[in-house]
């Protein structure tokens, strides 16, 4: 599925809709260059899971845990991972095979340890179509 958005609000709303539909054990991977709106999308997803606390990118902590929503939400940012073994050290499998919803930013860096089934969300810009234009591909694996 391909969705085009033309504002941060539309990107947020797409995340919100996916959060509302998310089920226990759901894993999302989030791929896109810096500045494409990954954090905006993630904030929407968290809101759809009824998480009220502020959501920020866990760039230096690798995983941020939010437990007060409809389902627990595990937000990973693996941009700074040097080796997939670091994921074992933080108990990665306990989260992605747990009862919550996981979202993994920069998941292409740890492809070899992704679960068999996940939903990839890829966000791309096209400045020829406008500064706020985003092409968002959603693919089930």
């Amino acid at each position: 599925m391909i969705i085009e958005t033309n504002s941060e609000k539309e990107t947020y709303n797409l995340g919100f809709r996916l959060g509302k539909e998310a089920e226990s054990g759901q894993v999302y991977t989030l791929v896109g260059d810096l500045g494409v709106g990954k954090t905006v999308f993630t904030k929407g997803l968290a809101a759809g899971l009824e998480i009220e606390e502020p959501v920020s990118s866990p760039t230096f902590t690798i995983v941020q845990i939010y437990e007060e929503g409809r389902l627990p939400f595990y937000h990973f940012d693996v941009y700074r991972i040097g080796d997939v073994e670091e994921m074992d050290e933080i108990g990665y499998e306990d989260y992605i095979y747990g009862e919550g919803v996981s979202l993994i930013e920069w998941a292409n860096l740890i492809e070899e340890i992704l679960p068999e089934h996940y939903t990839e969300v890829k966000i791309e810009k096209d400045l020829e179509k406008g500064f706020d234009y985003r092409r968002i591909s959603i693919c089930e694996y």
Side-chain angles (χ1 to χ4, degrees), residues 70-86:
R70 174 175 68 79
L71 292 167
F73 178 46
Y74 311 120
H75 179 199
F76 293 86
D77 183 334
V78 299
Y79 184 74
R80 298 194 186 284
I81 289 289
D83 189 301
V84 293
E85 290 176 7
E86 290 180 53

Side-chain angles (χ1 to χ4, degrees), residues 41 53 69 89 114 124 129:
F41 175 87
E53 71 180 276
E89 293 172 15
L114 290 176
E124 300 170 288
K129 293 187 176 186

Side-chain angles (χ1 to χ4, degrees), residues 46 49-55 65-73:
L49 289 168
E50 300 172 18
I51 292 167
E52 295 178 4
E53 71 180 276
V55 172
I65 302 165
Y66 304 91
E67 293 183 322
E68 83 288 351
R70 174 175 68 79
L71 292 167
F73 178 46

Side-chain angles (χ1 to χ4, degrees), residues 12 16 41 56 68 81 83 94 101 110 113 134 138:
Y12 176 96
F16 183 86
F41 175 87
S56 61
E68 83 288 351
I81 289 289
D83 189 301
D94 293 338
V101 174
I110 60 163
I113 62 168
R134 299 295 184 266
I138 302 173

Side-chain angles (χ1 to χ4, degrees), residues 97-132:
Y97 295 111
E99 299 299 312
V101 174
S102 298
L103 182 136
I104 308 164
E105 291 189 45
W106 301 99
N108 52 308
L109 300 175
I110 60 163
E111 285 178 331
E112 62 267 31
I113 62 168
L114 290 176
E116 184 177 349
H117 300 288
Y118 61 91
T119 302
E120 180 185 76
V121 178
K122 184 176 184 179
I123 305 176
E124 300 170 288
K125 285 188 202 183
D126 184 344
L127 293 177
E128 290 182 12
K129 293 187 176 186
F131 180 77
D132 292 322

